[in-house]
Amino acid sequence: MKLLRKTAAVVTAALLLAVGIVGCTSKDSAKDSMSGKFGLHGDNFTWELDGEGVLTISGKGEMDNSSGVPWLSYRSDIVSVVIEDGVTSIGDGAFAFCGDLTTITIPYSVTAIGYDAFWACDSLTSITIPDSVTAIGYDAFENCRSLTSITIPGSVETIGEGAFSGCDTLTSINVDSENKYYTSEDGVLFNKDKSMLIQYPNGKTAEKYVIPDIVTSIGGCAFKECESLTSIIIPDSVTSIGDSAFEECESLTSIIIPASVTSIGVRAFFGCKSLTSITIPDSITSIVDYAFKECESLTSITIPDSVTSIGNYAFNSCSALTSITIPDSVTSIGKYALNHCYRLASINVDSENKCYISEEGVLFNKDKSILILYPMGKSAKEYVIPDSVTSIGDGALACCESLTSITIPDSVTSIGDYAFNKSDSFTSITIPDGVTSIGDSAFWDCESLTSIIIENPDCIIYDGERTISNSYMEDVFDGTIYGYEGSTAQAYAEKYGRKFEVVSDVSR
């Protein structure tokens, strides 16, 4: 959910920029004061940005979220913010991307700091949170890369996930001793009884950290982007690892997950580029979405036979992985779970598995009606798809750069999205007349493809330039599409400026 909210926030900001609501005014143009009124309930707030870059906000009640504040067009001019007494909350994203903001004054009337409130305020070196604030939203200070320390006052009752993640120079999070909900030890933030580790500061320089054995839960984003850590010891008191808990810990080389852990969150080890080995215990039943994506140094991994599901993109882009075995317990494998593993030469499936099977290292569903994945690291030049296959799955033969010849049997009725994306070596392919649909980007960026024969005149071809193209960027196709007069292949070719010849003009 957090990932979706963050994506939505970034997209909203981009849209506002595109229509000119969130603009960038040069500092030279900000010589005169600008001011106005705004507010959730009409015009109960006033704002003024003077020629020195000082933004003053006054009024009574809750501040608007980022979409309603009027200074967004002048964020690059703001160097200091003064919030006057009477304001009770700082809105979601209110000062996000104020990259030159160095100081802010928050009055004792403020009780809540919204999510993303100071996101990516790169120049903010310190901030004093008054002893009136009870809630700090998720990602509130994320990516404040100059922030070196922060103190949580005794009044704070809730701190959102990732509130201080991505703060590269943050070495210490301190908590007032009177706080009833949080505490800190050696600058690391915990809940009061230390059963949850909430945030390990990014700026700490230690290479090793031993999590206290009182901790039962590692919170979301707890170690995200902690690039100095090469080793983290998880005690057997821990039962859960939160979303993005170790995401982009790029120096982490190995980790042992104890048998006490029963859940690992989404993106938990995403982008741990130096991770060469990881132990997954029998207590884990699900490897969730993006869990180990882009673990580029991971050469092997053992999936215990307790695991029943492997999520979308779970091992995607593990470029050093050479082989993997799917145990008999697995009943579902998500989309693109093993794609972009360029050295993966073989996917093996336990013979007792009731849902999946492999043949010559290629992954299928149990009755071999769906070709799920042809490993990218296989060195064979030719591949004949078995005639039991009726569906070529999404990304099934993507990035198979060794293949110069692929034969699709008459049994196939559908070709999925990205099915042959960036398979650069084959020059021609025939889509038999049994195929009724070709998915989005199915033959996108197939650099050597010069001939594609589509035998079904009514085949539904995804309506997009990338469905058949030779290029990643330009979406052009220098080859020829062959089909029948009046066919969907001809309509597609004419719409996107592809060369087309009727099938009777070629040898079939």
Side-chain angles (χ1 to χ4, degrees), residues 48-59:
E48 180 181 3
L49 179 62
D50 68 21
E52 301 300 318
V54 178
L55 174 65
T56 303
I57 301 163
S58 60

Side-chain angles (χ1 to χ4, degrees), residues 353-423:
N353 191 294
K354 296 180 180 180
C355 299
Y356 299 97
I357 194 171
S358 63
E359 182 180 278
E360 296 179 357
V362 181
L363 179 64
F364 301 86
N365 67 338
K366 190 65 176 180
D367 66 4
K368 291 175 61 179
S369 63
I370 302 172
L371 194 164
I372 298 171
L373 188 63
Y374 182 98
M376 297 177 188
K378 285 180 74 70
S379 58
K381 300 296 183 184
E382 299 180 356
Y383 184 60
V384 178
I385 296 172
D387 58 12
S388 61
V389 172
T390 60
S391 176
I392 299 173
D394 294 346
L397 288 128
C399 302
C400 295
E401 297 182 358
S402 295
L403 287 174
T404 58
S405 173
I406 301 168
T407 302
I408 301 174
D410 292 339
S411 57
V412 171
T413 60
S414 67
I415 296 173
D417 298 344
Y418 301 92
F420 298 91
N421 169 229
K422 203 169 174 54
S423 286

